Amino acid sequence: MVEWCLPQDIDLEGVEFKSMASGSHKIQSDFIYFRKGLCFGLACFANMPVESELERGARMKSVGILSPSYTLLYRYMHFLENQVRHQLEMPGHYSHLEAFYDDKKGVLPDGKGTATSQQPVHWLPSIHRYMYPEMKITHPAGCMSQFIKFFGEQILVLWKFALLRKRILIFSPPPVGVVCYRVYCCCCLANVSLPGLGGTVPESKPFFYVNVADIEMLETEVSYVACTTEKIFEEKRDLYDVYVDNQNVKTHHEHLQPLLKINNADKEKYRRLNDQRQMLMYSQEVGEDCSSCEEDLFILFFMEQNNRIFQTLMEVSASQDKTLTADHARGMGLDPQGDRSFLMDLLEVYGIDVMLVIDNPCCT
């Protein structure tokens, strides 16, 4: 149940299921990113043993905040962690939370596109239109390297699905905080900064944590990246295109099956990414002024890759014969054979008018 909130007239239906992940009773603490309507939330959860029959030996609470953007929520993580501990030890004392709200409160849209008071709200552009570095989110040091280490070459498979705006659902038992970061990392794979691209393409939405209460909402989504702790989702195939269980990326759509296979071009991209990471680590070790961090490197690596692909596709579509050849594919860093179905899907999703002419395998 929602024990306390400010402002008191806000619609928080279902937020108690979002801010406390299913299965959290098995862990001591966690944090959760989630989506609620047009807003994003961050909640910190803690579980404290108590000698109380009424509370069945454990007191569990989450303290969270909602904002129109998730990019600044991380700043308040430490405050929320302290407050949830405070609420477990001294239930019912909300003065710190009230003071925090009075200091930070902004304006939420009322659904008609107008704000409910005179203060400005700073909206961030949607993901596929954003220009680096507006969409930055700060993670614990090494979050991106953990993502790369966890998925290995599979991040190239996730990259293709993210670029195709597929519905990607990541399953993991609690704690779910680190899995929310994987959702964010997946979205970072699909950034494109070319103007005029993707006006009709569905936005790649980070939904972060979802549960069974979100099923109705997910049924209407054409593109998202989310995570869950509820295994029941695996059976609900109409809700997702790609299901990620641990490091196992799978899809039940037959036409997407070829995208699960790592090809030579993928291996080459993965090698280049690791080479760049090694160079970054070396420059940090020798004490050079290294203003770029691993997160920047990761985001820019995929953005440059994506820009190269779409720049080539747009140039070919503007040419007289509109013919995309194997050389074009190699120039984009793709495997002419292994990425053929990926390219076909890409052209369809983004509505790019070119003719794909890839040589017969026996002639290459």
Side-chain angles (χ1 to χ4, degrees):
M1 56 175 276
V2 177
E3 176 184 325
W4 176 91
C5 72
L6 274 179
Q8 289 174 348
D9 59 351
I10 190 169
D11 171 23
L12 291 177
E13 186 187 350
V15 81
E16 64 272 32
F17 300 111
K18 294 172 183 287
S19 56
M20 207 176 274
S22 177
S24 290
H25 60 280
K26 297 174 184 170
I27 57 172
Q28 294 306 303
S29 62
D30 200 2
F31 63 92
I32 305 164
Y33 280 90
F34 59 90
R35 192 178 182 117
K36 168 70 177 135
L38 293 171
C39 291
F40 292 94
L42 170 63
C44 287
F45 164 84
N47 180 354
M48 182 176 83
V50 289
E51 292 191 16
S52 158
E53 279 187 34
L54 185 66
E55 294 176 277
R56 292 186 289 183
R59 184 176 298 158
M60 291 175 274
K61 291 181 189 272
S62 271
V63 176
I65 48 177
L66 287 171
S67 166
S69 157
Y70 58 85
T71 57
L72 300 179
L73 290 174
Y74 72 90
R75 291 184 180 178
Y76 310 117
M77 177 96 76
H78 189 58
F79 171 79
L80 295 174
E81 285 171 340
N82 286 338
Q83 284 306 302
V84 73
R85 184 55 53 190
H86 176 72
Q87 288 301 320
L88 287 175
E89 291 164 3
M90 299 178 66
H93 290 74
Y94 308 120
S95 57
H96 293 310
L97 295 174
E98 287 163 355
F100 174 87
Y101 174 73
D102 286 338
D103 181 44
K104 310 287 182 194
K105 66 182 174 189
V107 191
L108 298 180
D110 61 8
K112 303 182 186 73
T114 55
T116 50
S117 89
Q118 298 307 304
Q119 287 175 271
V121 179
H122 299 288
W123 289 92
L124 281 160
S126 59
I127 284 182
H128 73 278
R129 295 189 199 91
Y130 101 98
M131 294 295 283
Y132 179 84
E134 268 181 310
M135 197 197 77
K136 288 188 73 171
I137 187 171
T138 295
H139 294 318
C143 174
M144 292 292 182
S145 60
Q146 281 174 19
F147 180 69
I148 296 167
K149 197 183 289 183
F150 186 78
F151 284 111
E153 291 178 342
Q154 292 279 79
I155 60 168
L156 278 314
V157 174
L158 292 171
W159 163 65
K160 291 173 193 177
F161 287 132
L163 209 53
L164 291 172
R165 297 292 186 256
K166 296 304 175 192
R167 298 170 301 166
I168 301 171
L169 185 62
I170 303 171
F171 166 79
S172 176
V176 79
V178 68
V179 195
C180 290
Y181 287 153
R182 286 176 200 151
V183 169
Y184 165 74
C185 290
C186 267
C187 288
C188 286
L189 299 173
N191 293 321
V192 182
S193 63
L194 293 180
L197 178 78
T200 58
V201 178
E203 180 188 350
S204 177
K205 298 179 183 175
F207 269 63
F208 297 109
Y209 175 72
V210 295
N211 61 21
V212 289
D214 295 306
I215 285 176
E216 205 174 303
M217 175 264 299
L218 287 176
E219 283 172 341
T220 65
E221 294 296 331
V222 292
S223 172
Y224 69 80
V225 186
C227 60
T228 188
T229 57
E230 302 194 50
K231 196 76 173 163
I232 184 102
F233 271 97
E234 189 172 7
E235 298 165 22
K236 301 189 177 297
R237 292 180 160 195
D238 54 328
L239 296 180
Y240 62 85
D241 302 308
V242 180
Y243 188 82
V244 184
D245 184 348
N246 218 359
Q247 283 110 325
N248 185 19
V249 183
K250 52 192 177 182
T251 176
H252 52 277
H253 295 302
E254 205 170 314
H255 73 283
L256 294 177
Q257 296 288 340
L259 274 67
L260 295 173
K261 195 174 177 198
I262 305 280
N263 60 47
N264 288 334
D266 295 329
K267 289 178 179 174
E268 171 59 21
K269 279 191 280 290
Y270 187 67
R271 186 193 61 74
R272 273 197 305 118
L273 176 62
N274 277 321
D275 284 351
Q276 289 184 24
R277 288 174 63 220
Q278 290 298 328
M279 283 171 68
L280 177 73
M281 287 178 185
Y282 174 73
S283 64
Q284 286 172 332
E285 278 172 20
V286 296
E288 286 179 23
D289 177 27
C290 189
S291 54
S292 63
C293 67
E294 191 163 28
E295 183 176 352
D296 298 346
L297 184 149
F298 179 89
I299 291 172
L300 285 172
F301 179 88
F302 283 99
M303 185 185 281
E304 284 166 1
Q305 173 67 49
N306 299 341
N307 286 350
R308 182 160 40 132
I309 288 174
F310 286 110
Q311 187 71 49
T312 304
L313 293 179
M314 285 155 76
E315 283 170 6
V316 171
S317 73
S319 69
Q320 207 164 357
D321 65 357
K322 298 183 184 297
T323 303
L324 191 74
T325 65
D327 284 341
H328 284 126
R330 290 187 199 98
M332 292 186 284
L334 299 176
D335 184 312
Q337 298 305 328
D339 284 321
R340 185 190 173 93
S341 64
F342 169 56
L343 264 172
M344 301 276 280
D345 286 347
L346 208 57
L347 297 174
E348 188 182 339
V349 169
Y350 288 85
I352 298 171
D353 180 24
V354 303
M355 188 168 65
L356 198 59
V357 181
I358 301 291
D359 304 328
N360 190 306
C362 67
C363 306
T364 54

